[in-house]
Every structure is written in C-alpha cells, then in structure tokens.
Amino acid sequence: MHDYLAIHPEVAEALQARKAVVALESTIISHGMPYPRNVETARLVEQTLRDGGAVPATIAVLDGRIRIGLTDDDLEHLATSKSVIKVSRRDLPVALATRADGATTVAATMICAALAEVPVFATGGIGGVHRGVESTLDISADLDELAITNVAVVCAGAKAILDLPKTVEYLETRGVPVLGYGTDELPAFYTRSSGIKLASRCDDPLTVARILRAKWQLGLKGGVVIANPIPQSAALDQGMIDGAIAQALTDADEQGISGKEVTPFLLSRMEELTGGASLEANIALVRSNAAVAASIAHAYAELNTETALPPKPHLTRTRPWY
C-alpha cells in the first residue's frame, strides 16, 4: 500500500516526532482559482500553517505516486499545467497506474492523509448534496469519505452553491459529527451563518482534539467536520451571494455542465458575477481554516505524546521521497 506514497522529508520527520502536521488539498490550486492567485494562495496557506506551528502537507498525485508535501516547483506546476486532472476516490487508482498528474479533492486528500497518518486537514469548503439532487442524484464523494476515513476536516461549511440542509442531513445519517467552531450554526462558506442549527459547538482546539481522540479510540470510523465561519471582515452580503448563486446555477444548466465540472464552473462564474469578491472571500476563509487547523493539530499532537510512544517505524524512509 505504501509503495504509492512519497512523503516529503520535512513531513516525515514531523510525523515521526509526533509533531503537528496539517494536510492540504490541491484541487483548489488546479481547479479552484485562476493563476496566479491559486499558487499565491497555496503558498500563503502553507505559511499560515507554519506560523501556527504546524508542518504543511499539501497533497497531490505526481509521476505515479501520492505526494504528501510538495515543493514550490510542484505548486507552480499544479497552478499552471492544463493536464492536471481532478482526482477523487474513484480516480486515484487510474491516476496512479497511468502516472497522470492529479489534484486531489477533499475525498482523495482524506484518503491520502489517512495513509500517511495525518489526522487533520484544512480546506475551503467540503462538497455536499447538490441542488436538484432529486433528479440528478449528484452527491459529492466527500460526504461518504467523511463517514469512513479517520481525518478531521476544518472548513467553512459546505460550499454555498450546494443544498446545505440536505448536506447536513446526509452527514447526520452517515454518523459524521459536525462541530461548529465558535458558532451554533453551520457556516455558509461566503457568509457566517446559514440558519441551520448544529448539534455541537466547540470554542477551543483542545476540546476538538479530545473529541477526535475519543471518537477514534472508540473505533468509530470516519472523520469530523470542524465548521469554522469565514472571518467577519471577509464575509459577503447574503443577498448578493444568493443572487449570484441563482444565476450561476442557471448558467450551468443552460450550458449542460454536469459531473465533476459543476463545482469549478460555478466557482468561476461566481467570481465573475461578484466582481472578484467571492474569490477574495474564498482566500480569506481558507487561510482562517488553516490557522484553526494548525491549532487543532498541535493540540491533538500534544494529547498523543502524553503516552510517550516511540516513533512510528513504518515512516522510516528507505527510498527517495520524490
């Protein structure tokens, strides 16, 4: 299984020492933002993690291997290449076997992070149940991944273009805890609230870390969503967002956009309709999520060093990581 993993030396060293490591996805670089804002944001988010005392582990599939931690050249390649494919759970085996370059979605990033035993992951927003699911059956693979893979995901809720009430209901059905971080409501990505009441609220990273440890020590498989609202200073007007979403969804329908092309199209169209405001909000919330993830990863690492366990032997590298 681990023959497909290539762990960056900095990340491997941090994992062996049981220090804080935070996974980052790469779809946001290749399919989520225009160049050069995508690579600038990737570097800013990595620096935010470092400033918070955590080692960044941006994940992608390159040259037939899952890369846990990327170089600056790797980030530039993902940001500029037109041949990088979007990789979710179903796509991982194909991308690895064909040596395709792939940017990992939330679901694929969770799988890869779990393989490397990185328990905390920061992203912008998770996928979810799409509007009109009654006729399309379009439900993101992210939700089922959260039900089976032991990685905590810090996000600003699900992307606002989705059906948020159905997304929360699906997560509840699959037994995925959704923790409001400093909030009693599910954040709505570009705005701080959705009107959807959450069952659990946490106001500090140590409480979140204790919940993660309790869940996984009980053998309750699956992740946890830590829903962190966008900073107030970066939040957008609800009316403007609702109007832009409605127009973007109409445009997608008229152009026959479907499948995994829907979300990138909608995000790009939202940027156009909001005059770039949605992109700036996206960048702000990703950085905020990274800062929260760093604090949670640090608290979780501290909890798990109390038993003074020895280094993990399988993380000792016997071959080059690249």
Side-chain angles (χ1 to χ4, degrees):
M1 176 174 65
H2 294 290
D3 287 345
Y4 290 108
L5 279 183
I7 302 178
H8 190 286
E10 181 190 21
V11 177
E13 181 180 349
L15 290 171
Q16 280 194 307
R18 300 184 181 274
K19 295 181 179 178
V21 177
V22 174
L24 297 169
E25 62 158 291
S26 47
T27 293
I28 196 171
I29 304 171
S30 62
H31 296 85
M33 295 181 184
Y35 184 81
R37 297 306 301 277
N38 51 1
V39 70
E40 293 170 355
T41 300
R43 291 168 180 151
L44 279 172
V45 172
E46 287 198 346
Q47 188 58 51
T48 298
L49 289 174
R50 295 186 190 283
D51 292 343
V55 173
T58 304
I59 293 174
V61 175
L62 297 171
D63 301 320
R65 302 185 78 190
I66 295 168
R67 298 277 289 276
I68 310 293
L70 302 180
T71 67
D72 200 58
D73 286 344
D74 294 331
L75 295 178
E76 188 74 23
H77 171 66
L78 289 167
T80 57
S81 174
K82 301 300 181 183
S83 63
V84 176
I85 64 174
K86 188 176 178 182
V87 174
S88 189
R89 168 177 275 271
R90 69 172 184 182
D91 311 297
L92 264 176
V94 178
L96 291 168
T98 61
R99 302 183 68 86
D101 288 344
T104 53
T105 63
V106 168
T109 303
M110 289 182 69
I111 292 168
C112 299
L115 288 173
E117 299 187 31
V118 177
V120 180
F121 164 31
T123 187
I126 60 171
V129 178
H130 281 257
R131 303 186 191 203
V133 67
E134 297 84 357
S135 59
T136 65
L137 294 181
D138 193 350
I139 300 174
S140 171
D142 297 352
L143 301 187
D144 280 340
E145 205 60 53
L146 279 159
I148 61 176
T149 300
N150 295 2
V151 174
V153 181
V154 183
C155 60
K159 296 179 177 69
I161 56 178
L162 302 169
D163 188 321
L164 299 184
K166 286 186 176 66
T167 297
V168 172
E169 186 65 34
Y170 194 96
L171 287 169
E172 180 181 347
T173 298
R174 299 291 277 135
V176 179
V178 180
L179 311 177
Y181 196 78
T183 182
D184 297 308
E185 290 186 17
L186 180 76
F189 200 69
Y190 300 117
T191 57
R192 290 179 60 83
S193 64
S194 63
I196 301 171
K197 179 79 172 178
L198 294 176
S200 303
R201 169 178 175 150
C202 295
D203 294 314
D204 63 273
L206 181 57
T207 301
V208 176
R210 285 172 173 161
I211 291 170
L212 299 181
R213 185 171 69 168
K215 183 179 192 296
W216 295 330
Q217 284 189 344
L218 286 170
L220 298 175
K221 291 184 179 180
V224 175
V225 174
I226 297 101
N228 177 48
I230 184 174
Q232 185 65 58
S233 59
L236 300 183
D237 176 74
Q238 186 69 62
M240 177 185 71
I241 287 300
D242 288 345
I245 290 173
Q247 184 61 56
L249 288 167
T250 298
D251 295 342
D253 185 58
E254 290 177 349
Q255 295 182 38
I257 306 296
S258 63
K260 63 182 180 181
E261 300 304 321
V262 170
T263 298
F265 173 85
L266 292 176
L267 293 176
S268 176
R269 188 72 181 109
M270 288 284 293
E271 182 190 349
E272 295 172 358
L273 292 167
T274 62
S278 64
L279 175 60
E280 297 305 319
N282 197 348
I283 293 170
L285 66 85
V286 172
R287 294 186 68 188
S288 173
N289 294 342
V292 170
S295 66
I296 292 170
H298 181 74
Y300 187 77
E302 288 287 305
L303 281 179
N304 286 279
T305 54
E306 291 174 358
T307 54
L309 295 173
K312 303 172 185 178
H314 76 271
L315 290 174
T316 302
R317 289 180 295 109
T318 57
R319 57 186 294 186
W321 76 276
Y322 50 86

